[in-house]
Amino acid sequence: MEIEAARVCDAQAICDLVNHYAERGLMLHRSLESVYGCLREFFVAKEGDAILGCVALDVFWADLAEIRSLAVAETGKGKGVGRLLVEATIRDAGRLGVTKVFAMTYEQEFFQRLGFAEVLLKSLPEKVWRECLDWYDCGHRHETAMLIELADGQGE
Ligand SMILES: CC(C)(COP(=O)(O)OP(=O)(O)OC[C@H]1O[C@@H](n2cnc3c(N)ncnc32)[C@H](O)[C@@H]1OP(=O)(O)O)[C@@H](O)C(=O)NCCC(=O)NCCS
């Protein structure tokens, strides 16, 4: 299994994977158009031609980026794929010079295992809370904000 930068041929599989969990209320929907638009932010976990998982890194500001659309196929869960995907985004954030990475999630324990810690939503930019409030207005419970501060050289 390899973690790679996503290519256009991966877009439909990314969209299907994310929307599989979005339909279960676990993450936000993505249109195919938005996947193509953000394709350069995505990494995929691939075994042959099959996509086992995906993740995107969205740079927010000079010191902050968000992990989005993290999803591992039901058949690939529990085998370290999620960890490898998150580690790829952390390396990429380090390479870009970003010092803090956060995720909004219901999977606190998974992120804790990867070195993230819970932070107050209000410590993050307003744009993040707005999205959360929209999400809450749609009848979903609040996700938890999990953040990791990158050590010097973590992207190398
Ligand atoms: C959350 C998710 C990405 C985890 O991916 P995964 O490939 O199954 O996780 P990994 O096998 O890499 O697990 C890494 C570590 O986290 C732990 N872990 C994984 N899922 C966990 C969970 N739900 N609760 C507690 N610990 C968990 C594993 O035991 C492992 O611990 P270890 O390294 O100490 O042995 C995957 O379950 C998923 O796609 N869920 C549905 C979509 C979703 O909720 N995405 C997150 C949006 S932010």
Side-chain angles (χ1 to χ4, degrees):
M1 195 258 305
E2 304 285 341
I3 306 293
E4 300 173 3
R7 302 170 63 199
V8 284
C9 58
D10 303 323
Q12 185 66 59
I14 292 173
C15 193
D16 292 347
L17 189 52
V18 168
N19 290 333
H20 169 80
Y21 291 113
E23 276 154 25
R24 288 154 182 78
L26 295 174
M27 53 203 298
L28 293 171
H29 274 96
R30 281 268 191 181
S31 66
L32 188 55
E33 185 188 4
S34 98
V35 173
Y36 280 120
C38 299
L39 196 72
R40 284 173 179 276
E41 297 177 0
F42 272 96
F43 291 94
V44 287
K46 266 192 174 172
E47 203 159 56
D49 287 338
I51 304 271
L52 293 186
C54 64
V55 69
L57 181 76
D58 179 7
V59 176
F60 244 76
W61 207 248
D63 63 343
L64 190 66
E66 180 178 7
I67 288 177
R68 301 187 70 136
S69 301
L70 169 65
V72 174
E74 300 281 8
T75 51
K77 281 182 176 178
K79 298 174 186 164
V81 177
R83 175 187 285 278
L84 290 174
L85 286 165
V86 170
E87 286 173 352
T89 62
I90 289 174
R91 273 196 306 280
D92 199 35
R95 181 187 65 79
L96 291 164
V98 172
T99 52
K100 286 183 278 184
V101 175
F102 76 96
M104 298 302 303
T105 188
Y106 299 127
E107 294 285 356
Q108 294 97 311
E109 223 175 299
F110 165 76
F111 280 97
Q112 264 164 10
R113 301 234 179 193
L114 274 71
F116 288 70
E118 186 172 344
V119 288
L120 291 175
L121 192 54
K122 67 180 183 191
S123 69
L124 296 172
E126 199 175 329
K127 185 180 162 210
V128 182
W129 338 331
R130 290 233 186 90
E131 272 184 17
C132 289
L133 290 175
D134 291 349
W135 185 232
Y136 194 59
D137 286 346
C138 293
H140 293 281
R141 64 191 197 276
H142 273 301
E143 294 173 297
T144 303
M146 303 293 293
L147 182 134
I148 189 167
E149 300 212 16
L150 274 56
D152 276 351
Q154 201 157 343
E156 288 154 16

